[in-house]
Amino acid sequence: MEKPVTRDPGFYVMVAIGLAVMFIAPVMLDLFTIMQITQYVVLSVFALSLGYIWGFGGILSFGQAAFFGLGAYTFAVASINMGSTTIPMVLAFVIPTLFGAALGYFMFYGRLSDVYLGVVTLVVALIFWKLINHTAGPEYSIGSARLGGFNGIPSIPTLHVPGDPSAWLDPGQMFQVFMGFLLVIYVALRFLIASDFGRVSISIRENETRSSLLGYDVRKHKVIVFAIGGGIAGIAGAMWATYQAFIDPNSVSMEMSAKALVWVMAGGVGTLVGPIIGCILLQWLTLQLGTVDVVNSIAVLGAIMMVLVLALPKGIVPTARSLLLGGYILWKRNQGQAISGKVVKE
Amino acid sequence: MDYTIVVALEMVRAVAWLVLLASGLAIIFGMMRIINFAHGEFLMLGGYTVVISTGHGVNEWIAMLVLAPIVVGIFGVLVERLVIQRLYGRILDSLLATWGLSMLMIGGVTMIFGNSVTGVATPLGGMSIGAYQVPRYNFVLIFAAIALLLAIWAVLKFTKAGLIARATMQNPDMSEALGIPTRWVYMATFGIGSAITGFAGALLAPLTGVVPTMGVNFIAQSFITVITGGASVITGTLSAATLLGSISQGMTFLTGPVYGDAALLLAALVLLRLLPQGITGRIFKKSL
Amino acid sequence: MTTEHILTTRGLTMRFGGVTAVDNVDFNLRDGELRCLLGPNGAGKSTFFKCLTGQLTPTEGKITFAGQDVTGALTHQIVNLGVGIKTQVPNVFDGISAYENVRLSARRKHLAPMARELTHTTLERCGITHLAKREVGLLSHGQRQLVELAMVLAGEPKLILLDEPAAGMTGDERDRLAQLVLESARSAAVVVVEHDMAFIRQIAKFVTVFNRGAIFREAMIDDIMQDREVQEIYLGKQANVAAA
Ligand SMILES: Nc1ncnc2c1ncn2[C@@H]1O[C@H](COP(=O)(O)OP(=O)(O)O)[C@@H](O)[C@H]1O
Ligand SMILES: [Mg+2]
């Protein structure tokens, strides 16, 4: 952690991989595949939102889909009304952020324990889902956008060049723009985590009592972290809405929240790459299983979740990392050098 | 006049409903400080027990009052042994694991029974209060809630197991220090909590029909009731159910059922901002 | 009284259910004073500290720090007024390095370059510069105590509370600790809870003895050592422990 982001080779490797995928994929791959992997990009942003607040703020949200859905619906309603997508994209960040701050105020200033926090976040998403489901009638409209209840909102505008609503992005360009979003968010989070604010968040995750005994306002920090996570999830929701040109209450469902949790758990809590890897891996797996009729996808998701908790609580990336580190220590031992303590890296 | 009676009855029924929904969960929370995220699916399991056993010619009352609690209770013990027990001390992980279980159960039951609603006939039919028709079954619900609370109270108050349970609820660390065999206490707690949930699920089945995804309709209410109630099973559940039941029922009368749940959540958030440990964390601290 | 006393409590009481852990305590500490707090296990010393730092909200009574009423204030608010505490159970950030631990404290009041400076000098003062890069969770108990002490000192508090700081320390570490406490007492008021009489003699003159949540005696260390009743509460407690 003492090492600044700019001196971490891993950071450059990640950015380089991202840029390479961003520019090479549209040239190499056919349209259908590009559209498929665009989905992974969008959901990776969603995974990052939870990976950040859980891994670097110690906040386990069981209802992250509430922000995803809020962003998606904000974008849908705003873009249908405005006939443009630029400001709606900004709103899809701002409104979930504000909602996160408000909810966070209740939870963290009320000093709710972990269990209460989990239950409250879950229930918020659940009730949001119920409310949206009940807005099928024509009386539930905001401006010219009908909320559509369980039928969802169709015909959501495709992203366009800012300032020129007639310049739609084609799927290849959309993929590149979304990759750009993902990269920018990843880089921003890396710097945020390495900043003084980020270090304090981590210290709060490590030991809340000590953080407040050093004079840090734990409640305020948690509200900010939670709100940032909400905003990022909101952007992911907006990306999802414009990518599908359609949004329905499934985006707020418990299954959506559970997916985010499973991705982060699978990839590893406390890393940023982990959630992205977990997301891509598991979404790909779901896609494969989707072709098999007998297996129910929810059952699979549930089973994976249980296995992760019971058998692989650290997730893939940290497990791999400690295996590597273990190997390194053994190798050092063989060279006759005792390693007395683990030097802190990240 | 008749209308007032009907409204009052609806209020009481709403409270009874929350008591039934939440008691099993509250027992587990009070003793183990964890929330069983598969609670909704335990209710669903109780419902299916009734559907299947009455389908095989079992009397509906026996199915509801005897079979459902037994089946779901045994299932709960198995879950405790196979999952919860391994995660002792890792509270958040046990929430995640039960959530996984919840999805596994929804998916599993869907694979077996399909995704359609199975109706269960409401026993007893209706009766009239003045110009209004009221289902007699409402009284069964109210009576069941009262009987359930009385039974829990009696067990807590007059048995040795109840004494242990009370000690654990008031101070979980202390009772462990006193050498109470927590392994068995937790297994029994989870089993009994599950049995009560199965019983509640069975009672709800005639009202809602039975479908694999039914649980999601009840967990918001159950969870909110338990966390606003706090760690004391009876006082907590009863006070939270009364407060929240009235609020949501009042809201339902005013605006329709959609906003009932939302009002409930809002009330709970405000309450928790003021009393972070729930009602019994601050006010009725020493109660059962 | 507010001008010369940095800390006063009036009728401070903390009850847990039926247990009264702190019982009607009137405590006064002058600015720059070094005080030792004695008392058998369970006398309420740690609970007293927790009330002072807002980790517990006292059931009754009033706490004044540096002329301000801080009763019921939140921990970070009290700390920002200038209170630093080393808790009995080491409270450190286990997953990160000793350097980062101390820097988090130094950075609270200072900009980054100054914080780095302060972190280095504090680590040096506490004699743990060689541990700077080590993950704190992997250090020995005594070393963790020193890291926590460094965190407290890097916050540059006006009042330092140390709850059993010498526990788990080697002889050398103990001597350094005594040195540090004396040094810190030149710029801040210090209250130290300890059981080790040799250690107390090294650092303190005036002593407050707690028993069953209340102040039992306040006197010079030599008088306390002679005091039959003080010996009895200690011995009685030990006899009870031995019997249990
Ligand atoms: N959180 C708590 N809940 C209940 N009792 C407590 C709590 N904290 C401390 N006590 C009780 O208060 C008394 C004083 O404890 P403590 O302040 O730790 O004493 P000391 O630090 O002097 O050894 C003890 O009897 C202890 O059991
Ligand atoms: Mg103590």
Side-chain angles (χ1 to χ4, degrees):
Chain A
M1 210 184 313
E2 286 110 283
K3 199 161 49 180
V5 179
T6 46
R7 265 193 264 149
D8 175 14
F11 170 71
Y12 291 106
V13 172
M14 286 310 298
V15 172
I17 293 177
L19 286 172
V21 172
M22 179 170 165
F23 288 105
I24 296 172
V27 186
M28 305 271 293
L29 302 170
D30 62 284
L31 196 62
F32 178 76
T33 316
I34 285 292
M35 289 175 74
Q36 282 292 326
I37 57 174
T38 304
Q39 180 182 332
Y40 296 149
V41 177
V42 176
L43 295 176
S44 291
V45 174
F46 183 37
L48 271 185
S49 79
L50 184 67
Y52 168 62
I53 65 167
W54 188 3
F56 299 93
I59 303 167
L60 180 46
S61 163
F62 286 73
Q64 198 65 1
F67 299 102
F68 184 79
L70 187 59
Y73 273 89
T74 302
F75 179 86
V77 168
S79 62
I80 287 173
N81 276 298
M82 300 170 74
S84 137
T85 59
T86 315
I87 294 174
M89 196 49 109
V90 175
L91 287 178
F93 174 73
V94 172
I95 290 181
T97 303
L98 293 178
F99 180 65
L103 180 60
Y105 168 77
F106 275 105
M107 298 192 306
F108 300 117
Y109 278 69
R111 301 210 167 172
L112 297 191
S113 69
D114 284 345
V115 176
Y116 281 55
L117 205 80
V119 171
V120 169
T121 47
L122 177 101
V123 169
V124 165
L126 194 58
I127 286 176
F128 190 20
W129 175 79
K130 277 191 176 181
L131 286 178
I132 292 280
N133 258 314
H134 277 93
T135 56
E139 68 273 27
Y140 296 104
S141 302
I142 301 177
S144 50
R146 273 187 57 179
L147 292 179
F150 44 83
N151 296 316
I153 304 179
S155 317
I156 298 170
T158 310
L159 221 54
H160 61 74
V161 178
D164 183 3
S166 60
W168 311 116
L169 302 185
D170 67 38
Q173 292 167 327
M174 181 116 109
F175 168 77
Q176 288 188 323
V177 169
F178 281 5
M179 263 317 280
F181 278 21
L182 178 61
L183 269 175
V184 167
I185 290 172
Y186 171 79
V187 171
L189 283 178
R190 280 297 301 258
F191 277 95
L192 181 65
I193 289 163
S195 73
D196 282 310
F197 176 85
R199 291 170 194 225
V200 175
S201 321
I202 292 172
S203 80
I204 289 172
R205 180 198 68 193
E206 288 285 319
N207 185 338
E208 227 169 272
T209 309
R210 183 32 94 189
S211 299
S212 58
L213 286 175
L214 293 184
Y216 293 105
D217 188 346
V218 171
R219 310 166 306 168
K220 192 179 79 189
H221 267 269
K222 285 194 159 181
V223 170
I224 296 174
V225 169
F226 189 65
I228 293 174
I232 295 172
I235 291 181
M239 291 160 76
W240 192 236
T242 184
Y243 160 75
Q244 294 192 310
F246 168 77
I247 196 75
D248 70 6
N250 280 331
S251 60
V252 205
S253 64
M254 285 186 66
E255 196 183 336
M256 200 70 200
S257 297
K259 274 185 183 168
L261 283 166
V262 170
W263 298 333
V264 176
M265 285 159 70
V269 183
T271 69
L272 288 181
V273 183
I276 298 177
I277 294 176
C279 167
I280 294 172
L281 216 65
L282 285 161
Q283 276 307 101
W284 177 80
L285 193 73
T286 315
L287 208 68
Q288 304 306 307
L289 285 174
T291 52
V292 189
D293 271 346
V294 275
V295 193
N296 180 299
S297 71
I298 295 191
V300 173
L301 188 63
I304 293 176
M305 197 155 170
M306 291 183 75
V307 168
L308 283 173
V309 174
L310 291 168
L312 200 67
K314 275 184 173 171
I316 298 168
V317 170
T319 305
R321 208 185 257 169
S322 52
L323 282 179
L324 283 176
L325 191 71
Y328 173 74
I329 290 174
L330 279 181
W331 175 74
K332 278 269 181 182
R333 287 249 171 84
N334 289 341
Q335 303 216 323
Q337 299 175 358
I339 292 187
S340 41
K342 196 171 87 188
V343 175
V344 187
K345 275 226 290 291
E346 200 183 6
Chain B
M1 179 58 205
D2 294 341
Y3 184 69
T4 320
I5 293 178
V6 172
V7 170
L9 201 63
E10 272 302 301
M11 287 275 184
V12 176
R13 190 198 54 88
V15 174
W17 173 269
L18 288 182
V19 167
L20 286 173
L21 276 184
S23 292
L25 193 67
I27 287 181
I28 294 171
F29 179 69
M31 298 284 294
M32 302 164 75
R33 295 294 190 275
I34 62 168
I35 293 281
N36 175 15
F37 271 26
H39 180 68
E41 286 60 49
F42 281 43
L43 289 166
M44 177 261 286
L45 206 60
Y48 270 100
T49 309
V50 174
V51 168
I52 295 165
S53 49
T54 49
H56 285 79
V58 178
N59 174 293
E60 58 192 4
W61 294 106
I62 292 183
M64 286 201 280
L65 303 179
V66 182
L67 281 183
I70 291 178
V71 169
V72 182
I74 290 173
F75 185 76
V77 169
L78 283 177
V79 168
E80 201 278 337
R81 281 295 93 183
L82 295 175
V83 181
I84 310 289
Q85 176 251 130
R86 290 164 196 271
L87 300 172
Y88 177 61
R90 289 158 57 190
I91 288 187
L92 285 175
D93 282 343
S94 56
L95 302 192
L96 288 167
T98 52
W99 192 350
L101 176 70
S102 136
M103 293 189 285
L104 191 60
M105 287 174 73
I106 295 175
V109 174
T110 307
M111 282 193 262
I112 301 169
F113 296 108
N115 203 2
S116 54
V117 183
T118 315
V120 178
T122 310
L124 302 176
M127 61 181 272
S128 47
I129 298 178
Y132 302 92
Q133 272 288 322
V134 180
R136 283 214 176 86
Y137 194 66
N138 279 359
F139 294 101
V140 175
L141 292 182
I142 295 170
F143 178 75
I146 295 172
L148 182 61
L149 285 183
L150 280 178
I152 297 172
W153 177 77
V155 169
L156 285 178
K157 188 88 184 172
F158 299 117
T159 66
K160 179 147 180 286
L163 184 70
I164 294 174
R166 277 186 290 162
T168 316
M169 280 190 286
Q170 270 168 28
N171 195 342
D173 310 323
M174 198 62 107
S175 56
E176 193 160 0
L178 292 176
I180 290 168
T182 38
R183 268 175 63 94
W184 291 105
V185 174
Y186 287 163
M187 193 179 91
T189 303
F190 211 85
I192 292 168
S194 305
I196 292 174
T197 303
F199 171 63
L203 283 172
L204 301 183
L207 298 172
T208 60
V210 176
V211 63
T213 51
M214 68 188 273
V216 74
N217 296 315
F218 304 114
I219 50 176
Q221 299 171 356
S222 323
F223 289 179
I224 293 175
T225 308
V226 171
I227 61 171
T228 16
S232 306
V233 175
I234 295 178
T235 334
T237 310
L238 194 59
S239 56
T242 309
L243 185 73
L244 298 173
S246 326
I247 290 174
S248 84
Q249 201 56 35
M251 200 67 189
T252 306
F253 272 121
L254 293 175
T255 61
V258 183
Y259 298 106
D261 272 3
L264 218 116
L265 172 70
L266 216 61
L269 275 181
V270 173
L271 207 71
L272 283 177
R273 175 71 185 81
L274 303 173
L275 309 169
Q277 309 289 311
I279 297 173
T280 52
R282 175 74 59 84
I283 301 179
F284 306 111
K285 234 177 169 168
K286 293 250 185 82
S287 51
L288 294 180
Chain C
M1 90 185 181
T2 36
T3 45
E4 65 171 312
H5 285 141
I6 186 158
L7 175 76
T8 60
T9 71
R10 289 288 167 270
L12 193 70
T13 302
M14 182 74 219
R15 289 191 204 96
F16 300 106
V19 184
T20 307
V22 174
D23 191 0
N24 200 20
V25 168
D26 294 341
F27 184 83
N28 298 308
L29 190 71
R30 277 180 290 106
D31 204 353
E33 187 181 345
L34 171 54
R35 179 83 61 97
C36 265
L37 208 58
L38 297 185
N41 276 327
K45 306 177 298 288
S46 299
T47 309
F48 179 61
F49 274 10
K50 282 184 183 163
C51 290
L52 296 181
T53 48
Q55 297 175 72
L56 291 171
T57 309
T59 322
E60 275 165 42
K62 186 174 164 186
I63 305 167
T64 313
F65 174 72
Q68 294 194 46
D69 182 358
V70 295
T71 323
L74 297 167
T75 300
H76 69 269
Q77 295 167 334
I78 296 176
V79 169
N80 288 333
L81 289 175
V83 179
I85 180 170
K86 198 214 80 61
T87 51
Q88 181 171 356
V89 183
N91 244 318
V92 288
F93 305 118
D94 278 336
I96 54 186
S97 69
Y99 176 87
E100 190 62 26
N101 265 272
V102 179
R103 206 196 77 102
L104 275 162
S105 175
R107 184 69 181 83
R108 179 74 198 124
K109 280 194 198 153
H110 297 288
L111 293 175
M114 183 63 199
R116 192 179 318 133
E117 186 81 22
L118 181 58
T119 306
H120 281 297
T121 50
T122 314
L123 285 170
E124 178 110 24
R125 264 177 83 191
C126 297
I128 48 173
T129 305
H130 61 292
L131 302 176
K133 286 209 155 90
R134 298 268 297 276
E135 192 176 312
V136 172
L138 302 173
L139 299 179
S140 76
H141 189 72
Q143 290 172 326
R144 283 153 58 89
Q145 301 263 48
L146 283 172
V147 171
E148 195 178 3
L149 190 69
M151 290 169 91
V152 173
L153 296 180
E156 300 176 325
K158 286 187 254 180
L159 168 64
I160 301 174
L161 307 173
L162 304 174
D163 199 343
E164 309 202 5
M169 284 193 177
T170 61
D172 280 354
E173 287 169 338
R174 221 166 253 250
D175 289 343
R176 176 173 293 273
L177 176 70
Q179 216 50 51
L180 272 172
V181 171
L182 288 170
E183 223 176 275
S184 315
R186 284 191 221 126
S187 55
V190 185
V191 184
V192 186
V193 169
E194 255 305 330
H195 293 296
D196 182 347
M197 282 299 167
F199 181 81
I200 292 165
R201 280 185 169 252
Q202 259 179 298
I203 58 171
K205 297 192 184 68
F206 199 67
V207 176
T208 299
V209 182
F210 264 50
N211 190 34
R212 298 181 176 195
I215 293 182
F216 183 74
R217 279 281 188 287
E218 290 197 299
M220 302 304 282
I221 179 74
D222 292 319
D223 298 332
I224 292 288
M225 301 283 285
Q226 306 298 324
D227 193 313
R228 292 294 299 248
E229 284 183 282
V230 170
Q231 286 171 6
E232 251 163 46
I233 60 171
Y234 259 98
L235 290 175
K237 202 72 187 184
Q238 273 164 13
N240 284 343
V241 170

